[in-house]
Amino acid sequence: AGHLTTKIEDHCQKEFGLPKGHAYALYKKHGTALRGLIAEGHLSRNCSASMDGFLDQVHDLPIHELLSPDDKLRTMVSQIHPSVRKFVFTASVSHHARRCLEALGIADLI
C-alpha cells in the first residue's frame, strides 16, 4: 500500500499541482483520492479517459518486485472445489488485481 500511496501522492503533485499531503487529505475526506479529485474538479466524472489515465499511472508498480509466488496460498485456493466460483474483491482496477494474482502465482486458479 505504501508504494501505491506514494504514486498517488506524486501524481497529484505533478499532474494537478496539489501540495504534499493533499492526496491523503482527499482520501480521508472522500474515501479515495480519485473521488476527491473528481469532487474538487481536478478530474471529470464524465471523462473515463482521464480517470483511466490516473488509475493506470498510479497502479504502474513493479508488482513482481513487490510480490512473489505464494505456495501456501496456491495450495489453499487449489483445495477449493473447482465448481465453486471464486471472486476477488478490490478497491483497485481489474488489471492491477490480475497482475497481483499473477505475481502470487494463483491467477490460473481464480
Side-chain angles (χ1 to χ4, degrees), residues 17-94:
L18 300 178
K20 184 174 178 67
H22 194 72
Y24 184 70
L26 292 174
Y27 160 74
K28 294 296 282 184
K29 182 176 180 181
H30 300 279
T32 68
L34 177 59
R35 286 178 59 191
L37 290 168
I38 292 168
E40 291 194 358
H42 299 288
L43 287 174
S44 170
R45 180 181 303 278
N46 300 320
C47 183
S48 62
S50 65
M51 287 189 288
D52 289 344
F54 170 79
L55 292 170
D56 286 344
Q57 283 287 322
V58 300
H59 287 92
D60 183 24
L61 298 167
I63 296 299
H64 290 283
E65 293 175 18
L66 302 171
L67 299 174
S68 57
D70 186 327
D71 294 333
K72 288 181 183 178
L73 178 61
R74 181 168 182 82
T75 298
M76 184 176 15
V77 174
S78 67
Q79 290 174 346
I80 300 171
H81 195 275
S83 67
V84 176
R85 290 180 62 189
K86 296 156 197 80
F87 297 90
V88 174
F89 293 92
T90 177
S92 186
V93 290
S94 61

